[in-house]
């Protein structure tokens, strides 16, 4: 493999990781697949790219592709890659738990919107109001209702600190 294709693969790998971490799963899969195609799969870097690719497959909803790739990577010659593949495979094969609908918050999918339209909608919602904002109300606390009785915590804490410092000084001598 030439050093030029290695640099291209590393660049695609970094772009794929960044896309995955920012939630752009389809772009991450595309970048990581291209990086994987440029690398020798049995190398440490090739295995690392494939682990990230399996994670991107899962994030993009291609769970079966992720499981298949993990099964292949479990036999990878690099021990860290095969260990990570076994761990990821175990997670992917775990049964899915059902969550009540009220626990879930639905996040809208903006991937179908062109970039400009998404920006216009976002900026339209963040315009400032022409009305002046009133200061927040301050809640006053009635001090006669507050328990100010000494519970001796401060004294206990100070004694523990002094004993600890004293023992440290004594042990250092």
């Amino acid at each position: 493999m030439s050093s030029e294709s290695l640099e291209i693969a590393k660049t695609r790998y970094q772009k794929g990781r960044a896309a995955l971490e920012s939630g752009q799963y389809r772009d991450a899969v595309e970048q990581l697949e291209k990086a994987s195609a440029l690398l020798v799969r049995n190398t440490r870097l090739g295995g690392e790219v494939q682990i990230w690719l399996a994670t991107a497959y899962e994030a993009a909803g291609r769970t079966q592709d992720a499981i298949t790739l993990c099964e292949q990577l479990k036999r990878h010659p690099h021990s860290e890659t095969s260990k990570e593949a076994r761990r990821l495979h175990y997670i992917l094969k775990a049964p899915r738990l059902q969550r009540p609908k009220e626990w879930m918050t639905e996040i809208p999918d903006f991937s179908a919107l062109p970039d400009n339209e998404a920006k216009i909608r976002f900026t339209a919602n963040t315009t400032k109001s022409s009305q002046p904002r009133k200061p927040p109300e301050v809640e006053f606390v009635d001090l006669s209702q507050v328990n100010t009785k000494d519970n001796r915590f401060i004294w206990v804490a100070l004694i523990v600190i002094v004993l600890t410092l004293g023992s440290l000084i004594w042990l250092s001598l």
Side-chain angles (χ1 to χ4, degrees):
M1 176 190 331
S2 70
S3 63
E4 183 178 317
S5 64
L6 180 62
E7 287 304 314
I8 293 170
K10 285 182 180 180
T11 302
R12 290 199 181 274
Y13 170 51
Q14 293 302 324
K15 286 181 181 179
R17 282 183 61 177
L20 181 64
E21 290 170 350
S22 66
Q24 300 169 343
Y25 304 130
R26 282 180 252 148
D27 186 37
V29 167
E30 180 183 326
Q31 293 294 333
L32 292 167
E33 282 178 338
K34 289 178 181 178
S36 179
L38 292 172
L39 295 169
V40 177
R41 292 178 182 247
N42 288 338
T43 62
R44 185 192 60 77
L45 181 60
E48 190 175 322
V49 169
Q50 289 176 321
I51 289 290
W52 278 91
L53 179 58
T55 306
Y57 280 153
E58 168 63 19
R62 296 171 55 182
T63 305
Q64 191 53 49
D65 291 335
I67 290 171
T68 304
L69 185 55
C70 284
E71 287 172 351
Q72 294 170 5
L73 289 174
K74 287 197 293 187
R75 295 181 298 276
H76 194 275
H78 190 259
S79 64
E80 284 298 314
T81 301
S82 61
K83 179 178 159 186
E84 186 66 21
R86 282 191 297 277
R87 187 188 68 75
L88 187 57
H89 184 260
Y90 177 78
I91 292 169
L92 294 173
K93 295 294 280 187
R96 302 274 183 220
L97 298 176
Q98 295 297 322
R99 295 184 200 129
K101 187 114 177 124
E102 59 268 7
W103 289 5
M104 305 300 287
T105 301
E106 190 169 327
I107 300 172
D109 183 16
F110 293 121
S111 62
L113 294 175
D115 282 341
N116 290 337
E117 189 177 335
K119 289 177 185 172
I120 290 169
R121 285 187 181 180
F122 179 71
T123 56
N125 290 338
T126 60
T127 58
K128 290 191 175 183
S129 172
S130 60
Q131 299 175 353
R133 293 185 356 183
K134 59 182 178 181
E137 293 184 25
V138 178
E139 184 179 328
F140 292 101
V141 177
D142 183 13
L143 293 179
S144 66
Q145 302 294 325
V146 177
N147 182 8
T148 58
K149 193 175 188 180
D150 184 16
N151 63 1
R152 297 191 185 115
F153 174 76
I154 299 270
W155 294 110
V156 171
L158 286 173
I159 290 170
V160 168
I161 290 171
V162 167
L163 288 174
T164 303
L165 290 175
S167 64
L168 287 174
I169 292 171
W170 184 72
L171 288 174
S172 66
L173 297 177

